[in-house]
Amino acid sequence: MEYRKIKDDDDEVQEDNDVASDLESLKGKSHTVASSNIALATLGGYTERTTWKRKGVVTCALTILTSSQAILIVWSKRAGKYEYSVTTANFLVETLKCALSLLALTRIWKNDGVTDDNRLSTTYDEVKVFPIPAALYLFKNLLQYYIFAYVDAPGYQILKNLNIISTGVLYRIILKKKLSEIQWAGFILLCCGCTTAQLNSNSDRVLQTSLPGWIMAIIMALLSGFAGVYTEAIIKKRPSRNINVQNFWLYVFGMAFNAVAIVIQDFDAVANKGFFHGYSFITVLMILNHALSGIAVSMVMKYADNIVKVYSTSVAMLLTAVVSVFLFNFHLSLAFFLGSTVVSVSVYLHSAGKLR
Amino acid sequence: MEYRKIKDDDDEVQEDNDVASDLESLKGKSHTVASSNIALATLGGYTERTTWKRKGVVTCALTILTSSQAILIVWSKRAGKYEYSVTTANFLVETLKCALSLLALTRIWKNDGVTDDNRLSTTYDEVKVFPIPAALYLFKNLLQYYIFAYVDAPGYQILKNLNIISTGVLYRIILKKKLSEIQWAGFILLCCGCTTAQLNSNSDRVLQTSLPGWIMAIIMALLSGFAGVYTEAIIKKRPSRNINVQNFWLYVFGMAFNAVAIVIQDFDAVANKGFFHGYSFITVLMILNHALSGIAVSMVMKYADNIVKVYSTSVAMLLTAVVSVFLFNFHLSLAFFLGSTVVSVSVYLHSAGKLR
């Protein structure tokens, strides 16, 4: 596995420091600290609180951004068909994320000075793994065009919930992190609950998917899960490294691979009608939103993990539906209420089932 | 609460014996028995094994009987409309259960002789609570005629899943037995999973149920849950009392209340066309099946509890659907698969979440 190689190559001592600071947090939690340790323990408690706060903030940000993302999509659909080339929009999203990371970095450099952890320059050993997630996403997006030969669009929406399971499995295998049995039960329920919430009268058609369709859906779920888990592995490999530098390199390769996608998929349209053909105010809003959610995903990977990301985006999907009731006069189905209840229980189980 | 009164009136010492035998079982489980206790502990282990075996057998019997019951109903519907009076069939079910209990008792008297625990004669104190479950069921069945003014039949099938929640709540309040938080999560999921499995394109209509419809559905769920929990309280009140004697008295009152139902609902039909009008071979099979499932329910109440009963009948519902695929060429929906998965996880959580 590639991740093991990263681990083996690791020449940082920072990880040990991180373990030490984790231990401090635990000490702060146990309330059985000898008086000589009180100062350290207090520091530990403080670190723990900040960790939790940061985790909470980035998770909430991701949830809200993902919800508004879905609402923008509904809005843009109501406004009419996509007239612009999706690949150019994706390229701009990556460019904007890159620019925002650089902007954040210049502020940090101004305040803290340039250090080993926040300098932009990198080594081949550090940077060589950064193109992999972008390459995986590109490959997945290309496959997406072929899966529609086997499944219709609503069916694909349902099959995409397989991502939840693939992320859990790859998180376990690649990152070697354990979930308790109760948390696994919660994860299966999350997948069932999200799918239930999306059920409509045509959903049964997905059961008629042919074997090649299923295989492609599973491959795409694995690619998507792998890209997510691999990104977490890269970002967590060097915990002290500034997240904006890590993001910068991720997004530089994202720009490169999306440039390839423009050439492969939309070369004619861009050559004939121009790069920005069909852009509207809502397109700009969507690009802005996608860029911010992308950064939020990176932050969740840095300060929490893929499991939190999956829960956060799933809850966002339900929030979107509730908000749509007010915005677009949506009618919520019985299936939606049942699915939401199952997802809520799943969130509870994930927290109640934490390994001690 | 009526159950407290039963508890207070209790003049048996048997309950203490039962606690002692429970303790023995626990000893057998803990594997930390001093050598002088080995004989007792072995006995305890044996008791525990028999308890588990008996619990397993009655639960499986109930599941199989409930599944075949639903299949008989589908079969009889395919064969045409009900031509007979349902109240007369219910009366015959009670009579048959009564007869079967008596038959079992005569065999026991022959083998073990007549004891305090298996004699048919009873006291006013023992028998006075036995009419209550039958009265509650009669009241619920009468209400059933009125609820259809507010909900259609498929909607009522969906609302009946509220029984799961009401049984759990009343089990906690009346029998004062605790479920762990994980088990409560499982119980909510059982309700959601069963409802999801029954979803079809018309299910959303149930959301338009008016307030009086909801209130009636909740009252009926409470009546049904209360009848079940109260039956368990009666049967468990005197653990050493032979279950066939307890059943006999329950069913005698069942006969009486069903006779009242015949007079209220089907007096004209019975008077004009006769008691057995419209009976067919399948009617006889259904009566036989209902009688056996009724006895299985009593056994589950005696040797397990209402929670096991609810799980058993819910799993039976799913089994019925699977069997129907082969028997009647049913098509299973995506909702059915999702609901079944949620129910399976729920069964797992009920067992994994056991209070230590």
Side-chain angles (χ1 to χ4, degrees):
Chain A
M1 281 283 97
E2 197 62 28
Y3 179 64
R4 292 192 69 115
K5 227 167 80 199
I6 310 174
K7 278 259 176 202
D8 296 341
D9 290 352
D10 201 353
D11 53 355
E12 321 269 353
V13 288
Q14 195 52 48
E15 267 195 356
D16 298 71
N17 290 344
D18 199 54
V19 172
S21 105
D22 276 349
L23 281 177
E24 287 314 316
S25 319
L26 285 175
K27 269 191 198 161
K29 207 173 184 176
S30 71
H31 299 293
T32 58
V33 198
S35 58
S36 63
N37 277 337
I38 283 179
L40 267 176
T42 315
L43 195 68
Y46 174 75
T47 316
E48 195 192 3
R49 260 205 313 283
T50 10
T51 309
W52 270 101
K53 207 171 152 188
R54 202 158 52 182
K55 209 167 156 175
V57 169
V58 295
T59 309
C60 286
L62 179 59
T63 311
I64 292 166
L65 286 165
T66 313
S67 313
S68 47
Q69 189 175 309
I71 288 167
L72 283 173
I73 290 175
V74 176
W75 189 13
S76 76
K77 273 188 191 162
R78 295 237 152 173
K81 252 182 100 254
Y82 294 120
E83 295 293 333
Y84 59 94
S85 302
V86 177
T87 51
T88 61
N90 286 345
F91 178 82
L92 289 177
V93 167
E94 296 300 309
T95 313
L96 185 55
K97 290 196 287 188
C98 228
L100 289 172
S101 304
L102 271 180
L103 194 72
L105 275 175
T106 50
R107 281 196 56 174
I108 292 168
W109 290 330
K110 214 164 156 188
N111 292 335
D112 305 348
V114 178
T115 67
D116 255 4
D117 283 331
N118 70 22
R119 71 171 72 245
L120 205 57
S121 62
T122 177
T123 60
Y124 173 70
D125 262 0
E126 186 184 27
V127 89
K128 69 182 180 194
V129 288
F130 279 69
I132 293 171
L136 289 169
Y137 281 123
L138 175 68
F139 188 46
K140 199 205 95 187
N141 287 339
L142 290 176
L143 269 187
Q144 200 158 305
Y145 283 79
Y146 295 99
I147 199 169
F148 288 118
Y150 303 100
V151 199
D152 57 5
Y156 178 59
Q157 282 300 320
I158 285 179
L159 289 177
K160 264 168 79 176
N161 290 307
L162 288 172
N163 285 359
I164 297 177
I165 301 296
S166 70
T167 302
V169 171
L170 293 170
Y171 175 85
R172 174 72 192 87
I173 296 176
I174 298 178
L175 295 179
K176 308 222 178 309
K177 289 196 198 168
K178 281 202 175 122
L179 293 174
S180 71
E181 285 183 10
I182 299 286
Q183 286 182 317
W184 274 113
F187 224 58
I188 295 169
L189 291 172
L190 182 66
C191 181
C192 288
C194 286
T195 314
T196 303
Q198 295 172 341
L199 285 180
N200 60 48
S201 48
N202 297 321
S203 305
D204 279 353
R205 282 203 301 241
V206 84
L207 295 176
Q208 265 98 56
T209 307
S210 62
L211 187 66
W214 278 107
I215 293 175
M216 278 190 74
I218 291 169
I219 291 177
M220 286 179 64
L222 286 172
L223 281 172
S224 168
F226 192 66
V229 168
Y230 201 82
T231 306
E232 183 178 341
I234 291 174
I235 289 179
K236 289 240 173 87
K237 185 201 158 201
R238 196 176 148 184
S240 69
R241 188 65 157 142
N242 190 286
I243 176 69
N244 295 296
V245 179
Q246 294 178 314
N247 280 347
F248 175 83
W249 286 108
L250 276 174
Y251 303 150
V252 162
F253 291 109
M255 285 169 67
F257 281 101
N258 275 294
V260 174
I262 296 178
V263 175
I264 298 179
Q265 287 173 21
D266 288 317
F267 185 77
D268 287 347
V270 170
N272 296 331
K273 297 192 257 174
F275 192 93
F276 293 101
H277 73 271
Y279 275 60
S280 65
F281 174 62
I282 199 164
T283 320
V284 175
L285 277 186
M286 280 173 74
I287 289 173
L288 195 65
N289 180 293
H290 268 77
L292 293 175
S293 346
I295 291 174
V297 166
S298 278
M299 297 283 183
V300 168
M301 301 286 189
K302 179 91 177 178
Y303 303 120
D305 53 43
N306 265 284
I307 306 295
V308 170
K309 184 205 146 197
V310 168
Y311 270 101
S312 160
T313 47
S314 303
V315 170
M317 183 197 77
L318 303 182
L319 278 184
T320 308
V322 174
V323 172
S324 301
V325 171
F326 301 100
L327 289 185
F328 309 112
N329 243 334
F330 263 34
H331 287 287
L332 296 181
S333 64
L334 178 58
F336 177 81
F337 289 112
L338 294 168
S340 306
T341 310
V342 172
V343 169
S344 309
V345 173
S346 156
V347 170
Y348 163 74
L349 289 173
H350 183 72
S351 113
K354 275 211 177 78
L355 286 168
R356 299 280 149 80
Chain B
M1 281 285 101
E2 195 63 27
Y3 179 63
R4 293 190 69 113
K5 226 168 80 198
I6 309 174
K7 279 257 176 204
D8 297 340
D9 288 353
D10 201 352
D11 53 354
E12 320 269 353
V13 286
Q14 196 52 49
E15 268 194 355
D16 298 70
N17 291 344
D18 199 52
V19 172
S21 105
D22 275 350
L23 281 177
E24 288 314 317
S25 318
L26 285 174
K27 271 192 199 161
K29 207 174 183 175
S30 71
H31 298 294
T32 57
V33 197
S35 58
S36 63
N37 277 337
I38 283 179
L40 267 175
T42 317
L43 195 69
Y46 175 75
T47 315
E48 196 194 1
R49 260 205 313 283
T50 10
T51 310
W52 269 101
K53 207 172 152 186
R54 203 158 51 182
K55 208 167 158 176
V57 169
V58 295
T59 308
C60 286
L62 178 59
T63 312
I64 293 166
L65 285 165
T66 313
S67 313
S68 48
Q69 189 175 311
I71 289 167
L72 282 174
I73 290 174
V74 176
W75 189 13
S76 75
K77 272 189 189 160
R78 295 236 152 172
K81 253 181 99 251
Y82 294 119
E83 295 294 333
Y84 60 94
S85 303
V86 177
T87 52
T88 62
N90 285 346
F91 178 81
L92 287 178
V93 167
E94 295 300 309
T95 314
L96 185 55
K97 290 196 286 187
C98 228
L100 289 172
S101 303
L102 271 181
L103 194 72
L105 275 175
T106 49
R107 281 196 55 174
I108 291 167
W109 291 329
K110 215 164 155 187
N111 291 336
D112 306 347
V114 177
T115 68
D116 255 5
D117 283 332
N118 70 23
R119 71 170 72 246
L120 206 57
S121 61
T122 178
T123 59
Y124 173 70
D125 262 358
E126 185 185 26
V127 90
K128 68 182 180 194
V129 288
F130 279 71
I132 293 171
L136 289 170
Y137 280 124
L138 175 68
F139 188 47
K140 198 205 94 187
N141 288 338
L142 290 176
L143 269 187
Q144 200 159 306
Y145 283 78
Y146 296 99
I147 198 168
F148 288 118
Y150 303 99
V151 199
D152 57 4
Y156 178 59
Q157 283 301 320
I158 285 179
L159 289 176
K160 264 169 78 177
N161 290 307
L162 289 172
N163 284 359
I164 297 177
I165 301 295
S166 70
T167 302
V169 171
L170 293 169
Y171 175 84
R172 175 71 192 87
I173 296 175
I174 298 178
L175 295 180
K176 310 222 178 307
K177 289 197 200 169
K178 280 198 176 127
L179 292 175
S180 72
E181 285 182 11
I182 300 286
Q183 286 182 317
W184 274 113
F187 223 57
I188 294 168
L189 291 172
L190 182 66
C191 181
C192 288
C194 286
T195 314
T196 303
Q198 294 172 340
L199 285 180
N200 61 47
S201 48
N202 297 322
S203 305
D204 278 354
R205 282 204 301 242
V206 83
L207 295 176
Q208 265 98 55
T209 307
S210 62
L211 186 65
W214 278 106
I215 293 174
M216 278 191 72
I218 290 168
I219 291 177
M220 286 179 65
L222 286 172
L223 281 172
S224 168
F226 192 66
V229 167
Y230 200 82
T231 306
E232 182 178 340
I234 292 174
I235 288 180
K236 289 241 173 86
K237 184 202 157 201
R238 196 176 149 183
S240 69
R241 188 64 157 144
N242 190 288
I243 177 68
N244 295 295
V245 178
Q246 296 178 313
N247 279 348
F248 174 83
W249 286 109
L250 277 173
Y251 303 150
V252 162
F253 289 109
M255 284 170 67
F257 280 101
N258 275 295
V260 174
I262 297 177
V263 175
I264 298 179
Q265 289 173 22
D266 288 317
F267 185 77
D268 286 347
V270 170
N272 295 330
K273 298 192 256 172
F275 193 92
F276 292 100
H277 74 271
Y279 274 59
S280 66
F281 174 63
I282 199 163
T283 321
V284 175
L285 277 185
M286 281 173 74
I287 290 173
L288 195 65
N289 180 294
H290 269 77
L292 293 175
S293 346
I295 292 175
V297 168
S298 278
M299 298 283 183
V300 168
M301 302 286 190
K302 180 90 178 179
Y303 303 120
D305 52 43
N306 264 285
I307 306 295
V308 170
K309 184 205 145 197
V310 169
Y311 270 101
S312 159
T313 46
S314 302
V315 169
M317 183 199 76
L318 303 181
L319 277 184
T320 308
V322 174
V323 172
S324 302
V325 172
F326 300 100
L327 289 184
F328 308 113
N329 243 333
F330 264 35
H331 287 289
L332 296 181
S333 65
L334 178 58
F336 177 81
F337 288 113
L338 293 169
S340 306
T341 309
V342 172
V343 168
S344 309
V345 173
S346 155
V347 170
Y348 163 74
L349 289 173
H350 183 73
S351 114
K354 275 209 176 77
L355 287 168
R356 299 280 148 81

